[in-house]
Amino acid sequence: MDLIDSIILGIVQGLTEFLPVSSSGHLELGKAILGDQTVPEERLLFTVVLHFATALSTIVVFRKDIVMLLKGALKFKWNDDLQFIMKIAVSMIPAVVIGVYFETELEQLFGGQILLVGFMLIVTALLLFLADKSKNTTKSVSFKNAFVIGISQAIAMLPGISRSGATISTSVLLGNDKTKAARFSFLMVVPLIFGKITKDVLSGEISAANQNFTVLSIGFIAAFVSGLFACTWMIALVKKSKLTYFAVYCFIVGLIAIGISIFK
């Protein structure tokens, strides 16, 4: 992988992690278009680096919220801050179960499954279209909602299903406030990303030996900067009910991916 590829994939990851168009699906398409020749270990490390970058960009954007939540939780009272953290913990359960017990089966869905990506992008488009038509409310995410949203997050492990699109859409369709839905969606994934990174490092699957750290660093910076932009922009778009544009985009890209897979 050269520097140009690293920059392109970093930007793709940074934008699509937050914009509801599926980061995993676009990375698969990007690798297919760029002719990814990296070996599995190099590909895994690069993917981990990009996800770490977007997790950090989430922390930067929501730094005030995170500090407030931690301060509230440290009061050791059943207040709104501690309840919010517990809701995030509840939302993580489905994804953790899938990640622990079906990791091998899930990994088999990656690596050039362009037809699957295409169909899943169309599913994402339908979710976004339905969510954009929902009326806004002032309702906050409940514990029951958190678990249902967590199921959407687990399903979004499929390449082509947008994690942010699925979780925000599910939350909005459950009747929650759109801004609160976006905030919950972005914060709920941070502990999962760090948990997955920790697991991969401790398992020995990731090796830093013989790696091109220049390529990794450039990819990290590209994902981090584009992630900051996309996260901030997405919050504003959800609030203004502008998801239909992304629904159309996902539908078109999905059809293109299906066409490429069938006629290549």
Side-chain angles (χ1 to χ4, degrees):
M1 183 181 298
D2 59 28
L3 289 178
I4 299 299
D5 290 350
S6 176
I7 293 172
I8 292 174
L9 292 176
I11 293 174
V12 168
Q13 168 64 25
L15 292 177
T16 57
E17 178 64 35
F18 301 102
L19 299 181
V21 294
S22 177
S23 61
S24 61
H26 276 71
L27 281 177
E28 289 300 308
L29 290 173
K31 290 174 182 177
I33 293 171
L34 294 172
D36 181 31
Q37 299 297 318
T38 55
V39 297
E41 292 80 5
E42 294 172 332
R43 187 185 303 120
L44 176 60
L45 178 59
F46 187 71
T47 301
V48 167
V49 168
L50 296 189
H51 278 93
F52 182 62
T54 51
L56 285 182
S57 64
T58 305
I59 292 173
V60 170
V61 173
F62 289 100
R63 59 190 180 280
K64 294 181 180 178
D65 298 71
I66 293 172
V67 170
M68 180 185 68
L69 289 171
L70 293 176
K71 286 182 177 179
L74 290 175
K75 293 179 180 178
F76 299 105
K77 295 181 180 180
W78 191 241
N79 51 32
D80 291 341
D81 296 321
L82 181 57
Q83 288 182 46
F84 188 90
I85 292 175
M86 293 306 297
K87 289 173 186 176
I88 288 180
V90 169
S91 75
M92 292 169 57
I93 295 174
V96 170
V97 171
I98 296 297
V100 171
Y101 293 101
F102 300 98
E103 182 177 18
T104 301
E105 290 80 1
L106 189 63
E107 288 177 350
Q108 292 175 354
L109 299 177
F110 290 81
Q113 301 289 341
I114 306 303
L115 182 62
L116 174 64
V117 170
F119 280 114
M120 293 303 100
L121 280 170
I122 292 177
V123 172
T124 296
L126 294 174
L127 281 173
L128 294 173
F129 179 78
L130 291 174
D132 217 27
K133 300 303 177 184
S134 300
K135 295 181 179 179
N136 200 9
T137 69
T138 58
K139 179 183 173 184
S140 298
V141 177
S142 66
F143 278 95
K144 181 179 179 181
N145 289 166
F147 186 75
V148 175
I149 296 168
I151 294 175
S152 293
Q153 180 167 248
I155 294 173
M157 290 181 175
L158 294 172
I161 296 288
S162 165
R163 193 207 65 82
S164 63
T167 54
I168 292 174
S169 295
T170 299
S171 185
V172 170
L173 291 172
L174 288 171
N176 295 305
D177 174 84
K178 292 181 178 180
T179 302
K180 294 176 181 177
R183 176 175 178 259
F184 188 81
S185 171
F186 293 146
L187 289 174
M188 69 187 284
V189 75
V190 173
L192 275 180
I193 291 177
F194 283 112
K196 180 65 168 62
I197 291 172
T198 302
K199 176 180 177 296
D200 289 339
V201 171
L202 294 178
S203 67
E205 295 179 20
I206 298 177
S207 174
N210 302 318
Q211 298 293 336
N212 189 329
F213 288 99
T214 300
V215 168
L216 291 174
S217 299
I218 293 298
F220 175 89
I221 293 171
F224 177 74
V225 174
S226 57
L228 287 175
F229 166 76
C231 185
T232 305
W233 187 31
M234 184 59 186
I235 295 170
L237 289 173
V238 173
K239 189 175 182 180
K240 295 177 181 178
S241 298
K242 299 293 184 180
L243 298 180
T244 299
Y245 300 111
F246 293 103
V248 173
Y249 171 82
C250 287
F251 186 77
I252 292 173
V253 175
L255 289 179
I256 292 173
I258 292 173
I260 291 174
S261 178
I262 293 175
F263 298 107
K264 68 178 180 179

